Amino acid sequence: MGGKGKSERKLCWLWTQLESLRPAVAALLEVDNSLDEIRLFRKEARVIHYDTVFLAGEGVAGRKNSIVILIDQAQAAKTNFTRIAERTLQLDIVDKRTAKSHRLIAVHGEHDESKFRAQLNAMRAATRTGGLVFGDLNKVPCKWWYAEGKAKVHIAMRHFCAWACSCCKRADDVKRCGVVVGGEGEGEVGGADFTRYEGVRPTSRIDYAICRGEEVGRWELIDCVRAEIAEDDGVGDIAATGGLSSKEALLSDHCFMVVGRERVCTDVREKRAVAIARGRTRAGLAVKAGLRARVGLGAEMRRAADAA
């Protein structure tokens, strides 16, 4: 995570994306880290005004497959975060611009079916009233979300997503638009672009976001960015091959997904009562003059109304 070589270039690429896009919240999955690297990462994130939340992963000291969430200090404040299942982190935030609360769940889907079912049940329970689930789900609601349609449709995930494509049609499908961010379940094949690559070859769309409850229909897919090494890093003529020259040109085999929602800023704070200035001070005399000017105003307005 904070090491040399490719890991260092990954961090450089990440800081650049965060500073240019400035998302309120960003999540990193499949993070391998040590305690020293966590401390360094937190310190570097603080420099660009991001707070960090870590979910320890697997293996010795939880170093493998950790989840990291970054929160922009100017845009949001965390009110709670908790592990609701393996590789599943729930974060509750308050949007500082709208004063509204949001529940976000970052998940790295388990390959084992029983473990994934536990994740799915936890996410369903946590988002009964509303929330946004996002991450590398590793399960798909449509066979064409894998190259050449080779994936097996995960039925429970299909129901969770309220997906109802014609290519994988089932009698128990329940179609609802605006649940899967970036693709509606209305007979389309594949939906949005693939999000995972092996070199220049797209393999699947396993990174996506799901709206639940009151969040349905409020989010949109803004961008799908491939993390790639720049030409001047000596990897070859990347531009000549549509952005990538080889598998090594990728800093990650997963895309950096950017989703967003409309934010209406409102002043919800109660305004403090203002005292009326009195006496012979400058403010007090101004108040008196203003009150004198308004004497007879009601009568004038009535006369004007009668004349109209």
Side-chain angles (χ1 to χ4, degrees):
M1 186 169 152
K4 301 295 183 182
K6 194 171 182 179
S7 293
E8 215 166 56
R9 284 183 286 185
K10 281 184 179 182
L11 282 176
C12 182
W13 185 90
L14 174 65
W15 300 138
T16 301
Q17 295 300 316
L18 292 179
E19 291 196 88
S20 60
L21 297 170
R22 211 63 207 178
V25 175
L28 310 176
L29 308 177
E30 298 186 60
V31 177
D32 296 345
N33 56 269
S34 66
L35 288 175
D36 287 339
E37 288 170 337
I38 289 175
R39 294 189 189 102
L40 178 60
F41 185 88
R42 276 200 168 121
K43 185 178 179 181
E44 291 179 353
R46 234 176 267 125
V47 171
I48 59 172
H49 307 292
Y50 273 92
D51 290 327
T52 52
V53 173
F54 281 85
L55 176 64
E58 306 152 351
V60 179
R63 291 184 55 165
K64 293 181 67 65
N65 277 326
S66 300
I67 295 178
V68 182
I69 296 184
L70 299 106
I71 305 120
D72 184 2
Q73 296 169 356
Q75 297 187 65
K78 65 178 182 291
T79 56
N80 181 49
F81 63 95
T82 183
R83 173 188 180 275
I84 59 173
E86 287 190 45
R87 302 191 339 193
T88 312
L89 179 58
Q90 173 188 308
L91 173 70
D92 296 327
I93 64 166
V94 173
D95 187 330
K96 291 184 177 180
R97 294 183 183 177
T98 64
K100 290 184 177 180
S101 299
H102 299 282
R103 174 159 291 178
L104 310 174
I105 298 178
V107 56
H108 181 197
E110 294 277 3
H111 291 282
D112 179 81
E113 180 60 24
S114 62
K115 290 182 178 180
F116 183 76
R117 286 279 181 169
Q119 287 180 309
L120 197 57
N121 290 337
M123 292 186 292
R124 187 181 287 111
T127 57
R128 291 194 191 281
T129 57
L132 183 73
V133 177
F134 59 95
D136 173 5
L137 279 300
N138 277 321
K139 298 289 189 292
V140 294
C142 172
K143 66 181 181 180
W144 288 106
W145 284 23
Y146 269 79
E148 301 175 7
K150 292 182 178 180
K152 182 180 179 182
V153 174
H154 194 278
I155 305 305
M157 196 65 198
R158 187 175 174 89
H159 291 163
F160 187 70
C161 295
W163 191 263
C165 56
S166 59
C167 52
C168 309
K169 192 173 182 179
R170 291 174 51 86
D172 57 354
D173 280 346
V174 178
K175 180 176 69 176
R176 188 178 182 190
C177 299
V179 177
V180 175
V181 180
E184 307 294 347
E186 297 184 4
E188 57 188 43
V189 177
D193 292 337
F194 285 170
T195 62
R196 187 178 180 277
Y197 285 77
E198 288 183 2
V200 296
R201 185 174 66 88
T203 61
S204 60
R205 180 193 178 189
I206 55 176
D207 308 276
Y208 52 100
I210 305 158
C211 301
R212 298 276 294 169
E214 62 184 14
E215 297 287 0
V216 171
R218 298 180 182 273
W219 292 80
E220 62 177 336
L221 179 63
I222 296 173
D223 207 349
C224 179
V225 184
R226 284 185 288 180
E228 52 192 48
I229 299 171
E231 281 187 69
D232 57 9
D233 282 343
V235 186
D237 187 4
I238 295 175
T241 57
L244 297 170
S245 61
S246 67
K247 186 175 181 179
E248 286 70 35
L250 280 171
L251 291 172
S252 173
D253 54 350
H254 293 266
C255 289
F256 186 75
M257 309 298 296
V258 185
V259 301
R261 60 166 288 165
E262 185 180 1
R263 302 159 78 186
V264 180
C265 301
T266 55
D267 187 0
V268 297
R269 294 174 298 177
E270 291 186 6
K271 293 185 177 179
R272 185 180 297 173
V274 179
I276 298 175
R278 301 171 64 184
R280 299 194 60 79
T281 63
R282 181 179 296 180
L285 294 174
V287 169
K288 285 182 181 179
L291 291 173
R292 288 196 195 99
R294 293 175 60 184
V295 172
L297 182 60
E300 289 181 19
M301 291 177 68
R302 282 193 293 272
R303 285 195 295 270
D306 292 339

